[in-house]
Amino acid sequence: MRRGSVLQLVGLAAVAAVITTLVAVLIPWLPEAASTESGRIHFVYWFTTGIAIAVFSIVVAVLAYSVLHFRARPDDDSDGPPTHGHTRLEIVWTAIPTVLVTAISIVSAIVLAQNGRAGSDPLIVKVKAQQFAWAFTYPNGQSYGSLTLPMDRHVKFEITSNDVIHSFWVPQFSQKQDAVPGQTNTIVVTPRHLGRFPVVCTELCGLGHALMRSHVDVVSPAKFASFMKSGGKTAGPPGLAVFQQNGCASCHTFRPAGATGKIGPDLDDLHAAAAKANRGPVEKFVEESIVDPAAYIAPGFTDVMPHIFKSQIQPAQLTQLVKYLSQGAKQ
Ligand code: CUA
């Protein structure tokens, strides 16, 4: 091969590499890596991207060079010269990708193994998914509708579901894990940035899937200790906590709770609805609608409310919730 041709090939490859690298680096493809595990996952991503850019640049350079130098002239109808492979070239283009793919798999396996390690004293948080809310239970028995995590400590999530398959995802933690009924799946997360990040359901699980969201607050270890000690009580009436823990806000609008869900009836209009339904006093109507949602379906709606609250909400909590809703709605 002539020196000029080699220089031309190298030049084309360099141009392709620079353009692709700019696209990879200048566009923020990934959210911030807010956990140690996601930092490792991002490393694998960039390792793979680097290899991909190199391969892409070489292929594009050879392709462009061939188009420039070997294309048929408009008046050339003759056949090309017969060729019979090139053994050395074929060995090279098989060996190099084999090495690269093996390298990717080794790096991935190391990261997977490291990310599975929870250390000797992880904080265990039980994650329960249900249509359409998350419940997070801490070792002290307290449950919340959102997560609070200490920075720099291994957290082991034990994830399951009450009804259908959901999937637990915090984009800034880079890991997704399915929530499957009758099964416990785990992931380990070690938060390393303070802040609030979204918790997203990332498996189509029904009408309220898009609204099945919560958040995680990563706080300092000292703040977390006092949160655990105080029991992390939510400010406001006790019924509000029950409302939040059971994910009512995903589907219902209720102004006192700042809820804006649109899948179920607007709970601000509870009293008018109760009068229209004509099923006894408001409190009785509200309680029936929670424990036996199919008993009366509001006009314009279907039987989509989960039938799990009868067993899920303790009697004392149910009383608080019924009182909270009945008193907070428009009279
Ligand atoms: Cu739960 Cu989608």
Side-chain angles (χ1 to χ4, degrees), residues 129-132 134 165-167 201-206 208-210 212:
Q130 69 177 49
Q131 289 169 323
F132 299 101
W134 299 98
I165 300 176
H166 306 264
S167 186
C201 177
T202 176
E203 182 78 57
L204 183 61
C205 55
H209 161 68
M212 189 166 163

